[in-house]
Amino acid sequence: MSVESTSETIKKLEVQIERLDKEVFNLTSKCELLENLLLKVLEEQTISTDTLTDINYIVLKKDLDAEERSEIPFFLAKLQKEHKFEGKVPSLDEVHSELLNILGVDEHEKSNYPIQISRQLIETQTKTGVFPVGRNILEKS
């Protein structure tokens, strides 16, 4: 491959990268607008308290990125593993406290995040069959 050919290929790739960067920026911007609009709609409407304590709403409200969101299922898997191999069953309060840490909730904000968030998350995961220890946690509380 000649120097001229390599240079031309690099220029074409740079144009493609620039186009993709613009597209990602546009999509990110639209997602942010939709998130803000959705939060506004949810907060201004008379809706079920279940919606306001749904983990997806909380994650959206806290503006967690994908890596931070992935900590929630890892946390649940850790609890399940500890139960399976060590017989540990944490209290609902312990689960809630750790969940709030994962969500990045400051100490002074914790009163805005009721234990119902954790209860609802555990109930949902238990119903799907992927979190059997959830029953034990809820029975313990």
Side-chain angles (χ1 to χ4, degrees):
M1 193 185 272
S2 71
V3 173
E4 292 166 356
S5 175
T6 302
S7 178
E8 187 176 311
T9 302
I10 289 173
K11 285 180 183 177
K12 286 180 182 177
L13 289 173
E14 287 173 342
V15 168
Q16 285 180 339
I17 290 171
E18 187 176 325
R19 183 186 59 78
L20 290 173
D21 280 345
K22 285 180 183 176
E23 186 65 25
V24 168
F25 177 75
N26 287 332
L27 290 172
T28 301
S29 177
K30 286 179 183 178
C31 284
E32 288 172 356
L33 291 171
L34 288 171
E35 286 176 5
N36 290 332
L37 181 61
L38 178 60
L39 284 171
K40 184 176 181 179
V41 167
L42 288 173
E43 290 170 354
E44 290 180 357
Q45 298 298 313
T46 305
I47 55 176
S48 164
T49 56
D50 284 349
T51 302
L52 295 177
T53 57
D54 185 280
I55 194 66
N56 294 314
Y57 171 74
I58 302 300
V59 166
L60 184 61
K61 186 175 178 178
K62 290 297 290 177
D63 194 28
L64 301 181
D65 63 30
E67 191 173 314
E68 292 167 320
R69 284 191 306 267
S70 70
E71 290 299 316
I72 297 168
F74 289 140
F75 168 59
L76 297 176
K78 180 183 134 216
L79 293 176
Q80 186 61 45
K81 181 180 170 186
E82 287 175 351
H83 174 67
K84 183 176 182 179
F85 294 108
E86 301 170 26
K88 292 172 79 176
V89 178
S91 70
L92 182 57
D93 286 330
E94 291 170 326
V95 171
H96 187 61
S97 178
E98 184 59 30
L99 181 62
L100 293 182
N101 288 337
I102 290 168
L103 294 171
V105 176
D106 294 331
E107 196 63 41
H108 68 280
E109 288 183 302
K110 288 188 177 185
S111 63
N112 298 329
Y113 295 86
I115 201 160
Q116 182 60 23
I117 295 166
S118 295
R119 180 182 305 281
Q120 189 173 334
L121 174 64
I122 292 169
E123 288 171 352
T124 302
Q125 294 303 307
T126 301
K127 284 178 188 173
T128 63
V130 297
F131 193 58
V133 71
R135 252 185 245 95
N136 302 70
I137 294 169
L138 293 174
E139 288 171 0
K140 191 175 179 179
S141 63

